[in-house]
Amino acid sequence: YNQIADILEDNDYDDGSYGPILIRLAWHASGTYDKSTNTGGSDGAAMRFPPEAEYGANIGLKIARDKLEPIKKANPEISYADLWSLGGVVAIQEMGGPIIPWIPGRKDADASVSTPDGRLPDASKGSSHLRDIFYRMGFNDKEIVALAGAHALGRCHPDRSGYEGPWTSSPTVFTNGYYKELLEKKWVEKKWKGPKQYVDKETGELMMLPADLALIQDKAMKPIVEEYAKNEELFFKDFAAAFHKLQELGVPRTGEEKVYKFKRTGE
């Protein structure tokens, strides 16, 4: 945990932190799960290999995998699958987010366990697509909205996702700011040659994707957004549970495993 925490801050990278891309790595390694076939999930770490490494949704994640490589070399006993999952937990906690329970025991596999492309969310789509993707993993509407709150962190890059810009004005601090921005700002379509996205009318410096705005256009999801915008404590509680569940997808468990709750560095 401490070794990962030590490599997060870097003034030469993005907004000064590798935290957001480590969360994206942990999430994309887990979000391939299909409950009906029990395939995908955070076991295996097949993103080390083609074809998964080359899927459009995973462009740029080599940066995160390479950043963790010295820690893997220093701790050969940890699997890549556990390291990536732990990296997401460390990043969330060190950037001020909730404590996320974590269980080791994921095993690495080869490219034969790669899932087909298209299992991760498409940012250009609406709420019915989000439900298709997240229900397939076993999540409900509340968990979809809670997990989306991680967009408080990080930014989009034209050379990776095709989109550009941060969702919030504090992209290295975990808050409920994403929900506040969604509700309080007026979002207008960005005038540019890239894919359809939105910017705040006031400054043009923040952005939202079509899948973000879908959360406040959907009758069932909008009240959850409103709830999290008002109550950060509730958001943190629900996010911690949903992210822990995400990290456990596809991992065989007996129920006897030790659950770790790490203290943030400096606490």
Side-chain angles (χ1 to χ4, degrees):
Y1 181 101
N2 292 346
Q3 286 173 41
I4 297 170
D6 283 345
I7 63 163
L8 292 182
E9 289 184 20
D10 185 337
N11 290 333
D12 294 329
Y13 180 76
D14 263 14
D15 298 291
S17 175
Y18 279 94
I21 200 171
L22 292 189
I23 296 168
R24 187 166 167 246
L25 175 64
W27 152 223
H28 283 217
S30 308
T32 55
Y33 185 66
D34 180 346
K35 67 179 184 185
S36 65
T37 58
N38 195 27
T39 56
S42 71
D43 221 23
M47 202 199 298
R48 291 169 294 150
F49 312 108
E52 208 170 310
E54 291 156 6
Y55 290 164
N58 294 333
I59 293 171
L61 287 176
K62 185 176 189 299
I63 295 165
R65 298 193 299 270
D66 288 352
K67 189 70 181 168
L68 290 172
E69 193 60 34
I71 294 172
K72 170 68 175 156
K73 284 194 166 65
N75 304 274
E77 68 282 1
I78 192 171
S79 66
Y80 280 103
D82 269 351
L83 181 61
W84 296 354
S85 169
L86 181 59
V89 169
V90 175
I92 289 161
Q93 294 192 179
E94 293 297 312
M95 288 192 288
I99 300 296
I100 313 275
W102 185 78
I103 307 171
R106 293 163 193 77
K107 294 186 169 63
D108 292 336
D110 57 26
S112 66
V113 301
S114 285
T115 53
D117 199 2
R119 286 197 180 183
L120 291 163
D122 181 337
S124 70
K125 301 276 178 60
S127 57
S128 61
H129 166 76
L130 291 176
R131 286 191 175 95
D132 288 344
I133 294 286
F134 283 91
Y135 285 13
R136 186 204 71 225
M137 289 185 249
F139 290 113
N140 60 30
D141 284 359
K142 193 161 210 175
E143 290 165 322
I144 293 173
V145 178
L147 286 170
H151 281 174
L153 300 168
R155 62 171 55 239
C156 288
H157 304 76
D159 60 338
R160 297 178 205 171
S161 63
Y163 300 101
E164 181 175 41
W167 289 267
T168 69
S169 53
S170 55
T172 61
V173 186
F174 197 93
T175 66
N176 65 340
Y178 167 75
Y179 306 108
K180 291 180 175 178
E181 302 291 16
L182 254 181
L183 293 167
E184 292 167 13
K185 295 266 194 295
K186 183 165 175 55
W187 298 98
V188 295
E189 198 170 328
K190 180 172 176 156
K191 293 181 173 68
W192 74 323
K193 288 182 179 167
K196 184 176 181 178
Q197 69 174 86
Y198 298 85
V199 289
D200 70 294
K201 190 176 181 182
E202 202 174 41
T203 69
E205 289 173 9
L206 302 182
M207 69 96 209
M208 289 285 167
L209 305 169
D212 296 311
L213 289 183
L215 302 183
I216 55 171
Q217 292 157 351
D218 186 278
K219 282 180 185 161
M221 291 182 179
K222 187 178 182 184
I224 308 167
V225 174
E226 291 169 337
E227 206 175 2
Y228 291 153
K230 284 194 211 93
N231 189 337
E232 189 174 71
E233 196 180 333
L234 176 68
F235 161 55
F236 273 30
K237 179 171 110 7
D238 289 355
F239 179 87
F243 195 83
H244 173 69
K245 178 175 168 177
L246 175 71
Q247 296 300 282
E248 287 295 296
L249 296 177
V251 187
R253 299 296 193 195
T254 63
E256 304 295 311
E257 291 85 7
K258 182 177 177 182
V259 180
Y260 289 83
K261 287 189 179 176
F262 298 102
K263 284 184 179 173
R264 298 178 190 89
T265 56
E267 279 188 1

